[in-house]
Amino acid sequence: MEMAVFGLFALLALGSSLVVVAHKSPIYSTLSLVLTLFSVAVLFVLLGAPFIATLQLLIYAGAILVLFLFVIMLLNVGREEGIPGGHRVQLVTAILGALAFTGALWLLLRPALGAAPQAALTEELVSLSGLAQELFAEYLLPFEIVGLLLLVAVIGATVVARRPTADELAGGAGAGGAGSTGSNRAVDEVEAADATTPSWAADEDRAGGGARPASFPGGGSLAGGAAAGGEAAGIATPGVRP
Amino acid sequence: MSAGTSDLIGTAIKLAVALGILLNVVPVMVWVERRGSALMQDRPGPNRLGPLGLFQALADALKFMFKEDVTPSAVDRPLYLMAPVLGLLPALTTFAVVPFGPDVTVRGHLYQMVVAPAQTGVLLFLAIASLGVYSLVMAGYASNNKYSLLGSIRASSQLISYELALTLSVVAVIIPVSSFQLRDVVDYQQHHVWNVLPQVLGFLVFLIAAFAETNRLPFDLPEAESELVAGFHTEYSAMRFATFFMSEYISMTSLSALGATLYFGGWTLPGVHISGLLGVAVGLAVLFGKVACFLAFFVWVRWTFPRFRYDQLMRLGWKVLLPLAILNLIVVAALTLAGVL
């Protein structure tokens, strides 16, 4: 019984991951990736790690791939587009990539191959409390650092995705708030300060300070709350609105 | 009988009961929706067929089955045909982790009154529920229709946004219980008070996010009739359209059952302790009484509030509900740490 389930879902995982790579339509590729992740989640359950399986579904299949689909549909990507140089370039890079990956895998696995077998993953270790113990006691610092890294990525994405405000457009400043080079318009002190500080800092100022005049709309503060009148940034970036 | 066989038979019976209830909720809810809207708009509503027009729901179902099933020629056929079914599956599956009665021993074998006693309980519920969005996205993309595509783009961004608030409010319930299993959540509430009292804020966030997760008014932007014809299911007809309908009502029911279990004691009532098969019957009745209150509230709200605009929806989700959910989480965590909860 267990073997049959394993065989079925291992085949599904392999087959669907082939479709991910081979299919011409990005939508089909993404949906196959969902199937791959689902099958791998089932394999996790068979390995006695239901928590990891659930997280796999919740985070990858339930959230990240929905964002993939969202972006694909928003950009209305139809079919795969040809790469200049055609298949030869693809082939060479694919072989190089495969070699590099094999090398990395070998370096990673070599010490383990000769060494005495380590203690097997017990059910306690991959259970809820076991994982929590490891994450929040043993590896707390790396865990927090990873969280910080994600925060940096979020802030970076917000800065990049932010629309330039009306003021910045008038002043000729770029969307990133990187200063107004080449603009010969007079920019008053406040706006200059806004343009030179990173926009997320300005947003936080605004959220904290409360009542800045509405001359600086756009760009939602991550902290949320106080900033009224701004359009939601990040994922909520409109353009979707018909 | 061996323990394995007893388990198998027990699971089959529980599955049959759960599926029977969930599938029969749909026609009843259609009737409630139509009569409820009529009540609120001061008109009779469907009242010709059967007592109080109850058989109207049957007539509706028959009509859906016998109508012509049109598949437009320019659709992406495999995805178009799969989408309605994929919507129904997660809606039906999520209920499996909701407990509906006390443990029962029959002929020396212990049966837990939950279809799937998974260790990760409520997380599994959320994980499977979050897969429901693929049905909407596939339907919208495969229909080859601008309105459908707009509807499904809205659906994906809306569900992602409100899932955060929903999950955070659920996590706040989990903290004092320190178990993901819903039976432990019910147990905890039997020994303390219903979670809705200490966690009013979390419950409000949960409730509002539940409306968004099930695409119900005031958050039915994926199918906003006045803007998008019918949104993601514009090109669907007959039973395929009805399947979308069914998954909406069934996921409402499942989510209501989750809400009742997390915040209102699930299948228990304070001061009532009945064991055995009678206890299971009473438990089921109590759980579905609570679910019925939730569902009535869904209908009430639908015919009361106008639809949100897209930017208002996003602002509410990210700038109001998410911070509130985080605040609730911090407060509950602190109270738990202090030993109050």
Side-chain angles (χ1 to χ4, degrees):
Chain A
M1 176 70 183
E2 205 158 284
M3 213 47 216
V5 175
F6 172 80
L8 176 66
F9 281 95
L11 275 182
L12 256 182
L14 286 178
S16 57
S17 48
L18 268 182
V19 175
V20 175
V21 187
H23 209 283
K24 294 274 184 202
S25 153
I27 292 269
Y28 273 88
S29 288
T30 316
L31 290 173
S32 311
L33 193 53
V34 177
L35 191 58
T36 312
L37 291 170
F38 185 82
S39 317
V40 174
V42 174
L43 297 186
F44 274 131
V45 173
L46 287 178
L47 284 173
F51 181 62
I52 298 176
T54 313
L55 283 196
Q56 165 116 342
L57 280 187
L58 191 63
I59 295 170
Y60 284 99
I64 293 180
L65 285 184
V66 179
L67 289 183
F68 276 34
L69 276 184
F70 177 68
V71 171
I72 290 172
M73 292 202 311
L74 195 63
L75 301 179
N76 210 358
V77 187
R79 298 246 130 191
E80 187 181 25
E81 284 170 22
I83 300 163
H87 285 290
R88 192 177 299 165
V89 178
Q90 261 181 319
L91 195 67
V92 172
T93 41
I95 291 175
L96 282 180
L99 281 178
F101 181 71
T102 319
L105 207 62
W106 188 67
L107 282 179
L108 200 70
L109 291 180
R110 194 181 50 165
L113 285 178
Q118 298 203 325
L121 278 179
T122 55
E123 207 145 306
E124 283 86 63
L125 210 59
V126 290
S127 76
L128 219 50
S129 47
L131 274 176
Q133 277 294 329
E134 293 288 319
L135 271 185
F136 295 110
E138 181 94 26
Y139 298 107
L140 182 61
L141 189 64
F143 181 77
E144 294 285 345
I145 290 175
V146 170
L148 205 64
L149 198 67
L150 287 175
L151 181 66
V152 170
V154 168
I155 292 171
T158 316
V159 171
V160 172
R162 202 173 66 95
R163 277 193 205 158
T165 62
D167 286 354
E168 282 169 348
L169 281 180
S180 50
T181 46
S183 161
N184 49 10
R185 281 216 194 177
V187 183
D188 71 46
E189 269 182 31
V190 182
E191 282 175 328
D194 272 348
T196 47
T197 48
S199 53
W200 58 270
D203 277 356
E204 280 192 355
D205 275 348
R206 197 162 48 105
R212 278 280 296 274
S215 64
F216 193 63
S221 72
L222 287 167
E231 280 184 50
I235 301 169
T237 303
V240 186
R241 211 183 323 160
Chain B
M1 266 194 304
S2 71
T5 327
S6 313
D7 266 344
L8 214 59
I9 294 174
T11 306
I13 293 174
K14 286 184 283 187
L15 206 58
V17 169
L19 280 183
I21 291 176
L22 284 181
L23 289 174
N24 279 306
V25 159
V26 179
V28 176
M29 272 310 290
V30 170
W31 178 80
V32 169
E33 188 100 64
R34 297 183 66 175
R35 292 288 292 198
S37 66
L39 188 73
M40 298 186 69
Q41 293 163 356
D42 200 18
R43 58 187 171 82
N47 62 353
R48 298 289 138 158
L49 215 53
L52 294 172
L54 254 175
F55 296 160
Q56 182 67 39
L58 290 180
D60 282 346
L62 273 181
K63 181 193 75 176
F64 276 129
M65 276 180 227
F66 287 112
K67 266 194 156 182
E68 186 188 357
D69 179 22
V70 183
T71 305
S73 55
V75 298
D76 189 328
R77 228 179 136 78
L79 292 187
Y80 178 87
L81 298 183
M82 251 194 305
V85 184
L86 278 187
L88 199 54
L89 278 182
L92 284 171
T93 318
T94 45
F95 186 78
V97 297
V98 178
F100 50 80
D103 291 354
V104 175
T105 313
V106 180
R107 295 196 196 160
H109 191 84
L110 184 80
Y111 295 95
Q112 287 185 22
M113 280 306 134
V114 49
V115 179
Q119 187 197 344
T120 48
V122 66
L123 268 190
L124 194 62
F125 187 108
L126 295 173
I128 296 175
S130 68
L131 296 182
V133 66
Y134 288 110
S135 150
L136 276 59
V137 168
M138 277 165 71
Y141 172 80
S143 291
N144 193 21
N145 176 322
K146 281 177 191 159
Y147 296 113
S148 300
L149 188 66
L150 279 172
S152 58
I153 289 177
R154 284 180 177 188
S156 53
S157 54
Q158 172 178 332
L159 292 186
I160 281 280
S161 306
Y162 280 77
E163 232 167 60
L164 293 173
L166 187 84
T167 310
L168 281 177
S169 59
V170 170
V171 168
V173 173
I174 296 304
I175 289 179
V177 181
S178 67
S179 160
F180 280 119
Q181 292 203 33
L182 285 169
R183 50 178 292 150
D184 294 333
V185 176
V186 173
D187 232 34
Y188 172 87
Q189 292 178 88
Q190 248 181 331
H191 294 114
H192 297 73
V193 283
W194 285 359
N195 278 326
V196 66
L197 291 178
Q199 301 198 22
V200 180
L201 190 59
F203 173 64
L204 285 179
V205 172
F206 176 90
L207 194 64
I208 296 172
F211 276 91
E213 286 291 304
T214 49
N215 298 321
R216 288 285 293 186
L217 256 158
F219 303 120
D220 69 335
L221 283 108
E223 48 188 296
E225 288 91 347
S226 47
E227 310 155 31
L228 299 182
V229 189
F232 65 94
H233 56 57
T234 303
E235 297 287 357
Y236 283 87
S237 52
M239 205 54 209
R240 292 187 206 287
F241 165 74
T243 310
F244 280 120
F245 226 69
M246 284 166 70
S247 27
E248 178 181 325
Y249 282 114
I250 293 176
S251 49
M252 268 164 65
T253 312
S254 297
L255 213 53
S256 302
L258 181 69
T261 307
L262 286 177
Y263 293 101
F264 291 92
W267 54 269
T268 59
L269 277 179
V272 179
H273 297 279
I274 309 168
S275 55
L277 284 175
L278 181 67
V280 175
V282 172
L284 260 179
V286 168
L287 178 64
F288 273 88
K290 289 171 182 173
V291 168
C293 294
F294 268 91
L295 291 176
F297 186 70
F298 271 106
V299 172
W300 182 18
V301 166
R302 170 169 177 184
W303 298 103
T304 307
F305 288 105
R307 182 180 302 126
F308 273 59
R309 226 169 46 220
Y310 186 75
D311 59 321
Q312 293 172 329
L313 173 92
M314 283 300 159
R315 196 176 308 156
L316 179 71
W318 288 95
K319 292 190 172 178
V320 180
L321 288 187
L322 190 60
L324 281 182
I326 294 175
L327 178 73
N328 177 54
L329 186 68
I330 292 173
V331 169
V332 170
L335 287 181
T336 310
L337 206 61
V340 180
L341 282 178

